[in-house]
Amino acid sequence: MHLPHDASPHAAFHDLEDVAACELFGSPTAEPPSLLIEIPHGATEREQFDPLRAQLRGALPDDLAAFFHVNTDVGAPELGAAIARELAAAGRSTLVVRCLLPRTFVDTNRSLAPGTPPGMSAGIPSYVTDAADRALLGELHATYVAAVERAYAAICGTGGMALALHTYAPRSVDAEIDADIAASLRRAYVPAVFRAWPLRPEVDLITATPEGEELAPPGLPEAVATALEAVWIESGRNATYTLHPATQGLLFSRRYPQRVLCLEVRRDLLGTPWRPFAPTRIGPRKALRLARPIASALSAFLPAR
């Protein structure tokens, strides 16, 4: 992906091999797109997991591919593209940036800066112990973050908006992310055990800091919730997460106040069905059912370019 440092309105967006993929939806113009959809956990397929796993030289936990499948944002790329297509049909242009780095190895929605507050999973998991591996993952993280920073500047910095799009598992499962993570999760997902974990909202709008400071575009979360309710999709607001200071989501929300909305969608609404430890096929009709109300709500808030 090449994102010019000047973030000019004529910026050209291109893929960055093995790190990020981007696609522009809508008629190309001299102006930047109205919306950026960032998918920081967009590495959802084994074709992204296996090559990076092969590059890492140190010992890693057994059955790590199972953790990859259960912890990746399955359906987010398909949903992001469906939202962008709906907006394109309404005359809005959207840039979709999809991270291709599996969060199993490096989480690009986390800050790697020294002194990052605790309370969220680490940017590079503790089970990655080889110094060269950690250095490589740090470099890949920096490459992605620098590129997406320029995308935010080009779009949100010129009056546009951003949607940070995620999907999450149906229930909040408590498991320590360490060398035994795969075994821990398999125990947690035994059906009788899994049903006891707290059920999450079908959609959660992440709009506020832990202290309650609202950073999302005024009125947009309510508009999205109303549009979802009209098609019988229930939503929460900061019910599962807030904009934690360890996340890039908070960083961009602060840098571009009232320009960024973070959204979580339950994976079982998109999978046919969602399977925690194996690849999941995403249903196009399921994605469209969610995309239409979200795009409709967004369209009213996006600037005309």
Side-chain angles (χ1 to χ4, degrees), residues 81-152:
I83 293 170
R85 283 192 291 268
E86 289 294 303
L87 288 169
R92 305 289 189 175
S93 58
T94 301
L95 175 69
V96 178
V97 177
R98 174 187 182 183
C99 183
L100 301 178
L101 301 171
R103 66 183 302 201
T104 320
F105 305 118
V106 59
D107 191 334
T108 57
N109 191 40
R110 300 290 184 268
S111 171
L112 297 186
T116 297
M120 297 290 282
S121 57
I124 300 177
S126 62
Y127 53 68
V128 180
T129 58
D130 183 86
D133 290 347
R134 294 185 71 87
L136 170 63
L137 295 172
E139 291 171 5
L140 292 171
H141 182 281
T143 299
Y144 174 81
V145 169
V148 82
E149 280 179 340
R150 295 194 289 274
Y152 274 91

Side-chain angles (χ1 to χ4, degrees), residues 251-269:
L251 182 150
F252 290 125
S253 294
R254 283 206 183 281
R255 186 174 296 173
Y256 304 103
Q258 302 184 355
R259 291 284 160 193
V260 181
L261 176 64
C262 297
L263 191 71
E264 292 270 8
V265 174
R266 247 177 36 197
R267 293 170 194 152
D268 57 326
L269 270 67

